[in-house]
Amino acid sequence: MNFAEMTAKMAAGNGFIAALDQSGGSTPKALAGYGIGEDAWTTEAEMFDLIHSMRERIITSPAFDGSKVIGAILFERTMDGTAGGKPVPQALIDKGVVPFIKIDKGLEAEENGVQLMKPMPELDALLARSKALGVFGTKERSVINSANREGIAAVVKQQFEVGQQVLAHGMMPIIEPEVNIKSETRAECDAILLDEILKNLAELPEGQQVMLKLSLPVEPGKFDALVDHPKVLRVVALSGGYKRPEACVELSKNRGIIASFSRALLEDLRHQMTQAEFDAALGEAIDQIYRGSTQKI
């Protein structure tokens, strides 16, 4: 797939985006869920080798291909690794899966009810290297914990500024201002976030598009204006802590939004499974998330 073909698949492809981008802070929890305890490694390098082996097992599984998984978000170390003897981005492309890379370096301390992204001084170099490997786009995450308009405006402004940097490299940004699903002001957060995203989209130069990764809204259909917006290539949803069945039900209530799940995709996979058991469990998860993404209530 070339860039135009990847763009077309992202715009209209039936399926969802797999988030395989757990970073240093979330890797131990992901490995624990996979059945590997912290006593299995002594160094960070060993830990990342273990999570890469899990990701390679997913990517090379016959259950994982571009017929239902249209994209995959990678951690930087995963992008630099191999799967089935191929560089990971190429292995994905060969399966019809569009590769993305997580570029944020974690979150700042909470201020005004939100957590901004930490500085990314080496971003231009990472973007150039990623694009050379065939990566189509990026994903960058902030968190919104309460309905503070000043804070939410700052999150969205920073996200679009980073998005412009990504666009300048000829890549597609997935802008992710996550609303914490445990927030007591979730509905108000959704409303303010929608307003701020629409303001920033209006300022985006004509001909440019971004993707959006959002928490599933309290009110189904709340983000319809974003789904229909000409400057939005696609809206995808994170599971945000929901278990997969509940996440898929909530997803199915929102037209035009597809999944970009991480924990909800991996929750039934275990290191101890035979390959047949692993492929079956992964295939069942993929089928359920695919239905939530494509069959709307």
Side-chain angles (χ1 to χ4, degrees):
M1 293 183 288
N2 59 32
F3 190 85
E5 290 167 336
M6 292 184 193
T7 303
K9 186 153 196 169
M10 280 300 105
N14 282 328
F16 68 94
I17 297 174
L20 305 176
D21 60 339
Q22 297 90 354
S23 55
S26 54
T27 294
K29 187 174 181 180
L31 283 171
Y34 187 48
I36 298 178
E38 293 192 26
D39 58 350
W41 69 86
T42 55
T43 67
E44 186 180 77
E46 290 174 349
M47 179 187 74
F48 282 120
D49 284 344
L50 289 168
I51 197 77
H52 183 78
S53 294
M54 181 191 78
R55 290 167 179 156
E56 182 177 16
R57 197 177 184 191
I58 292 167
I59 291 166
T60 57
S61 170
F64 190 94
D65 65 44
S67 64
K68 293 179 179 176
V69 183
I70 61 172
I73 304 168
L74 305 172
F75 181 51
E76 184 178 347
R77 285 178 181 244
T78 308
M79 178 189 76
D80 291 333
T82 61
K86 301 175 183 177
V88 169
Q90 191 58 52
L92 291 170
I93 291 168
D94 289 349
K95 291 190 124 187
V97 180
V98 177
F100 292 81
I101 182 173
K102 165 189 161 70
I103 58 171
D104 66 84
K105 301 301 180 186
L107 301 169
E108 299 278 19
E110 182 175 329
E111 186 176 347
N112 290 329
V114 304
Q115 290 175 274
L116 294 170
M117 295 180 285
K118 289 181 177 178
M120 294 172 258
E122 300 174 357
L123 180 56
D124 284 319
L126 175 60
L127 293 172
R129 187 160 59 83
S130 303
K131 188 172 184 184
L133 288 168
V135 173
F136 171 74
T138 65
K139 191 217 73 167
E140 42 271 12
R141 172 178 173 264
S142 315
V143 172
I144 296 166
N145 293 310
S146 61
N148 180 307
R149 183 172 287 274
E150 182 182 351
I152 295 174
V155 158
V156 177
K157 180 176 183 289
Q158 183 192 42
Q159 282 279 350
F160 272 81
E161 287 172 350
V162 173
Q164 282 290 347
Q165 196 171 350
V166 174
L167 287 164
H169 282 262
M171 299 177 74
M172 174 58 61
I174 299 179
I175 287 169
E176 184 186 10
E178 174 184 348
V179 173
N180 185 339
I181 65 166
K182 296 179 180 178
S183 171
E184 295 179 358
T185 55
R186 268 182 69 201
E188 294 91 336
C189 289
D190 290 344
I192 297 169
L193 179 61
L194 175 61
D195 286 346
E196 293 300 324
I197 291 175
L198 287 170
K199 287 178 190 175
N200 280 267
L201 285 171
E203 296 173 4
L204 199 65
E206 290 300 320
Q208 288 189 348
Q209 289 183 304
V210 298
M211 293 175 63
L212 300 170
K213 182 169 179 175
L214 306 174
S215 301
L216 289 158
V218 175
E219 177 190 338
K222 182 69 177 179
F223 298 137
D224 282 356
L226 302 176
V227 171
D228 296 334
H229 201 288
K231 293 180 182 177
V232 177
L233 183 67
R234 200 76 181 259
V235 180
V236 306
L238 57 132
S239 53
Y242 285 124
K243 290 288 188 180
R244 185 171 66 246
E246 188 178 4
C248 289
V249 167
E250 292 302 311
L251 178 64
S252 69
K253 298 175 183 177
N254 290 274
R255 70 166 180 85
I257 300 181
I258 64 173
S260 176
F261 291 172
S262 175
R263 281 169 291 184
L265 173 64
L266 309 178
E267 63 188 38
D268 293 335
L269 304 180
R270 299 294 180 270
H271 170 67
Q272 298 84 354
M273 288 176 165
T274 66
Q275 195 59 45
E277 290 169 339
F278 183 91
D279 292 340
L282 179 60
E284 185 176 336
I286 287 171
D287 287 345
Q288 190 173 10
I289 298 169
Y290 176 84
R291 288 193 297 271
S293 296
T294 59
Q295 298 175 15
K296 300 299 182 177
I297 297 172

